[in-house]
Amino acid sequence: EGYVPFALKATRNGEFLATNLVSQADGSSGLFQLFYLKEGSSRRFEKAKELRFLGLSPDGQWLAGGCWQGLHATIWNTKTGEQITELDTDVSTVVAFSNDGSKLATASISEIAVWDTNSWKQLWTVPCASVIGSLVFSPDNRMLAHTMSNNKLQLLDIDSGRHLVTLSTNHDPTYVQHLAFSPNGSMLAMSCGKDKLQVWSLDHLRSQLESLKLAW
């Protein structure tokens, strides 16, 4: 139909797979497709053409979308297809669910916010640099990692938004594409560009900071 997948999200139980579709003609998006794998069916979710950044809750209940150069983050109920709410965010909002599904994080060009997924109320917000990058929760849901510039990322306490540590890359990428924690949360990896990958040992970092009484 003239669209290609831009990103994929899947639930751990293997029941749901979501993708955002980008037009081959002009690069616009605005279209998500959710596959109900056990049923062998799918549903499309449409919004403004700037809709691009995709989030899927771990249980498959919620689908979240953020716009490139557009305001708001939109939340849908995946079972009914109904739009549940629009969260008030700044331009170009990246979205990510916590691993237990209890929180949603949004990162725009001016701020990072965390929302309660039961009430969709904002829990806290902190200012951030004007860069669109990656956003990910640690496996234990205690930390949030986000890119704060082209060569720096930051770890925040998930309960308060308190700054824990800033990590700098060994190079100056033009765009940080992905952040990922190891399953036990002891390591954090960052990919950027086409051929660069950097990995931090958070356990080693903590031990170094403990000697300075700066560990989180």
Side-chain angles (χ1 to χ4, degrees):
E1 298 181 31
Y3 288 93
V4 294
F6 180 76
L8 293 170
K9 298 285 185 180
T11 56
R12 288 191 294 269
N13 60 15
E15 293 186 10
F16 299 90
L17 175 68
T19 182
N20 56 338
L21 302 174
V22 176
S23 170
Q24 292 178 299
D26 59 8
S28 64
S29 185
L31 187 63
F32 289 169
Q33 188 155 0
L34 181 67
F35 297 90
Y36 305 87
L37 300 179
K38 289 183 69 174
E39 302 172 6
S41 61
S42 68
R43 183 195 300 269
R44 285 191 170 184
F45 300 78
E46 297 188 50
K47 196 65 178 175
K49 67 178 182 179
E50 297 87 0
L51 184 70
R52 178 157 303 200
F53 303 110
L54 174 69
L56 179 64
S57 63
D59 61 0
Q61 182 179 5
W62 309 115
L63 185 68
C67 288
W68 169 252
Q69 297 181 340
L71 298 173
H72 307 302
T74 305
I75 311 299
W76 291 273
N77 182 312
T78 60
K79 295 179 175 61
T80 65
E82 177 188 4
Q83 179 179 314
I84 299 302
T85 188
E86 277 193 336
L87 306 179
D88 186 16
T89 64
D90 203 348
V91 174
S92 298
T93 300
V94 180
V95 294
F97 283 95
S98 61
N99 296 290
D100 61 3
S102 66
K103 297 178 178 66
L104 175 76
T106 58
S108 66
I109 63 170
S110 64
E111 66 179 14
I112 293 173
V114 168
W115 311 76
D116 180 280
T117 57
N118 287 319
S119 63
W120 298 110
K121 291 183 178 179
Q122 189 181 95
L123 300 176
W124 54 259
T125 181
V126 295
C128 69
S130 178
V131 60
I132 307 302
S134 187
L135 187 67
V136 65
F137 284 84
S138 62
D140 61 5
N141 300 305
R142 296 177 59 188
M143 294 186 295
L144 181 68
H146 78 97
T147 50
M148 57 183 297
S149 71
N150 285 342
N151 61 352
K152 291 182 180 179
L153 61 91
Q154 195 174 51
L155 295 181
L156 302 177
D157 176 77
I158 197 59
D159 291 327
S160 64
R162 178 174 62 92
H163 170 261
L164 299 176
V165 67
T166 298
L167 303 175
S168 298
T169 67
N170 293 331
H171 39 266
D172 189 13
T174 57
Y175 184 69
V176 177
Q177 294 174 307
H178 300 287
L179 294 174
F181 284 92
S182 61
N184 65 3
S186 66
M187 304 182 78
L188 177 63
M190 181 194 75
S191 69
C192 49
K194 296 181 179 179
D195 57 357
K196 294 183 176 66
L197 177 69
Q198 186 162 344
V199 180
W200 287 271
S201 169
L202 299 182
D203 288 344
H204 179 65
L205 178 62
R206 283 193 189 96
S207 66
Q208 289 181 313
L209 291 176
E210 279 176 357
S211 65
L212 301 174
K213 298 182 178 181
L214 295 175
W216 65 89

